């Protein structure tokens, strides 16, 4: 593929095609993979870390790792799933180092936005997602992980199992418990 | 809060379309008679709707050039080092330094005996070697009662 070709031609390729081109020395194919996945990975990390700078740093770290791994990549896993696995490991390492991996009791005082603050539909919707984000931050990390992967990334249980290194049965029960916990945190507020 | 139902795990998987056919049919029969599960299903659907309203934050710029530049920087670092690895010279440097120091020390023992007498009390005060540890031989290095 010619380097001077417009970005549009890259967008038509599947991930595995970009990977194959990159393995043949086409660096623009890697740039396309980064562009394609950077926002999803970033959003996940942002909600895991709660900090834009850290989320950006870890997104870059994830992509750097991809660059090193892709030359020997075999297409036995989806690239996106693999990226999330790397991103999730990076987030958990960082959280562990910061010693903030802890269970926050749901009874603890919470600084939730007031759901009845605005009569306007749009405003109410904004309030709801702020309440949800506040509730997510209060959840223990392993619950937050599975809920983000399921509800936001819409991954199947098998994919979530791949990302987190868990059996599907464990994913199933963890998602159920995480939902229960989240409902308890924001019950009546959303 | 919902009354807990033992089937809440199946309920969650039902919502996600992750139950196999047989379990799904069985659960649907249960759902018809379980108000707790019905209420929970409603709540979980609300929750799912709320997840859909979360803002889609973006990086805001193309990360690829930044990643490639960082890779370039990381590659440049080892490449700029000499191929024979400077750290391999470390043992030789230490050996040379140790030889020189030993020479100076032995020279002092032979020629500077009067100086040693003056220096010894100072050493006794600040010497990090604990009493009973190996010492080169000044009597003042040790507490008097042990001698
Ligand atoms: Zn039930």
């Amino acid at each position: 593929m010619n380097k001077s070709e417009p970005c549009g031609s890259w967008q038509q390729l599947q991930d595995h095609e970009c990977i194959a081109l990159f393995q043949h020395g086409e660096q623009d194919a890697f740039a396309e993979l980064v562009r394609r996945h950077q926002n999803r990975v970033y959003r996940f990390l942002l909600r895991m870390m709660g900090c834009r700078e850290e989320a950006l740093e870890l997104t870059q770290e994830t992509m750097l790792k991809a660059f090193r791994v892709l030359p020997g990549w075999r297409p036995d896993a989806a690239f996106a799933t693999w990226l999330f696995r790397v991103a999730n490991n990076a987030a958990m390492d960082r959280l562990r180092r910061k010693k903030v991996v802890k269970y926050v009791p749901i009874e603890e005082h919470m600084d939730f936005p007031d759901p009845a603050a605005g009569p306007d539909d749009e405003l109410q919707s904004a309030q709801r997602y702020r309440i949800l984000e506040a509730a997510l931050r209060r959840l223990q990390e392993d619950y937050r992980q599975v809920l983000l992967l399921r509800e936001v990334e819409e991954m199947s249980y098998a994919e979530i199992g791949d990302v987190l290194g868990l059996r599907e049965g464990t994913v199933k029960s963890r998602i159920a418990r995480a939902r229960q916990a989240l409902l308890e945190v924001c019950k009546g507020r959303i | 809060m919902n009354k807990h139902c033992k089937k809440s795990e199946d309920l969650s998987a039902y919502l996600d379309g992750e139950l196999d056919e047989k379990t799904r049919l069985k659960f649907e029969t249960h759902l018809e008679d379980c108000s707790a599960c019905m209420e929970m299903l409603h709540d979980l659907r609300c929750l799912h709707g709320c997840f859909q309203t979360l803002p889609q934050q973006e990086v805001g710029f193309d990360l690829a050039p930044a990643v490639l530049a960082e890779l370039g920087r990381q590659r440049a670092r080892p490449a700029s080092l000499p191929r024979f690895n400077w750290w391999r010279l470390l043992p030789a440097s230490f050996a040379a330094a140790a030889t020189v120091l030993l020479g100076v020390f032995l020279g002092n023992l032979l020629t500077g005996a009067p100086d040693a007498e003056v220096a010894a009390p100072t050493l006794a005060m600040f010497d990090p070697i604990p009493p009973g540890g190996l010492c080169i031989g000044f009597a003042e290095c040790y507490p008097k009662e042990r001698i």
Side-chain angles (χ1 to χ4, degrees), chain A residues 96-121:
Chain A
R96 232 174 267 129
R97 249 183 291 152
K98 285 165 73 179
K99 294 191 168 74
V100 294
V101 176
K102 60 175 193 264
Y103 176 63
V104 182
I106 52 173
E107 298 80 20
E108 197 173 287
H109 168 72
M110 282 178 290
D111 191 17
F112 278 117
D114 178 8
D120 191 59
D121 269 5

Side-chain angles (χ1 to χ4, degrees), chain A residues 18 31 56 59 64 78 152 156 171 179 190:
Chain A
C18 286
L56 274 176
T59 306
L64 281 167
V152 180
S156 69
V171 172
R179 281 178 168 146
I190 57 173

Side-chain angles (χ1 to χ4, degrees), chain B residues 5-8 27 30-31 34-38:
Chain B
C5 174
K6 277 184 275 183
K7 297 260 183 189
S8 67
F27 178 75
H30 167 83
L31 195 57
C34 181
S35 60
C37 277
M38 264 312 217

Side-chain angles (χ1 to χ4, degrees), chain A residues 121-137:
Chain A
D121 269 5
E122 203 175 306
L123 197 62
Q124 261 185 354
S125 156
Q127 292 289 355
R128 282 176 75 207
Y129 85 68
R130 281 196 201 105
I131 290 166
L132 178 61
E133 290 205 314
L136 277 171
R137 281 196 296 274

